Amino acid sequence: QIRLVESGGDSVQAGGSLRLSCQIFGRTYETDCVGWFRKGREAVATIYAEDGATSYYEPVRGRFTISRDGAKSAVYLQMNNLKPEDTARYVCAVCYSCNTCRAPPSDFAFWGQGTQVTVSS
């Protein structure tokens, strides 16, 4: 069983930055994929545990960066140059032993409660 706890959400002005954290509790594997989602399971960014390979939703590419700290069992989402359309609840999820980050949201078996990001213009 895996439990995910997100933090770091806040209200910011457009152009601002936030860093979200996802703390992962429980056993994880190199074949896991960890993703950040928003707005009805829209995949914002994913990272594959084994090699750190990342992927991004096109509207956030170049502004958001996903990273991990294996020692701390945490995944982060650095969000820069935030826009009002980035306003959403950001949820961290794990695709357990998926062997790929190309899995659909339905394959992500473990989800956190999320953290709210609000960007005002």
Side-chain angles (χ1 to χ4, degrees):
Q1 189 73 14
I2 294 176
R3 185 167 67 94
L4 308 170
V5 179
E6 302 95 331
S7 62
D10 205 344
S11 296
V12 296
Q13 296 276 339
S17 298
L18 286 173
R19 186 187 191 220
L20 306 184
S21 297
C22 173
Q23 187 66 47
I24 304 172
F25 298 93
R27 187 173 181 179
T28 57
Y29 296 91
E30 288 187 344
T31 51
D32 290 348
C33 175
V34 182
W36 283 97
F37 294 79
R38 69 185 188 188
K39 296 178 182 176
R41 301 199 172 187
E42 175 181 276
V44 174
T46 61
I47 186 165
Y48 189 57
E50 184 174 23
D51 59 8
T54 58
S55 65
Y56 295 92
Y57 181 47
E58 193 58 37
V60 308
R61 188 183 299 278
R63 299 188 295 121
F64 291 10
T65 303
I66 188 170
S67 62
R68 61 185 176 141
D69 184 333
K72 296 182 179 180
S73 294
V75 171
Y76 307 99
L77 185 67
Q78 178 66 43
M79 305 188 296
N80 298 327
N81 190 22
L82 282 160
K83 302 177 180 181
E85 53 264 40
D86 294 320
T87 294
R89 190 165 191 82
Y90 285 72
V91 183
C92 178
V94 170
C95 189
Y96 194 62
S97 295
C98 270
N99 295 304
T100 179
C101 271
R102 295 186 177 183
S106 57
D107 283 358
F108 285 73
F110 301 96
W111 295 77
Q113 294 298 308
T115 185
Q116 179 67 33
V117 172
T118 302
V119 185
S120 57
S121 56

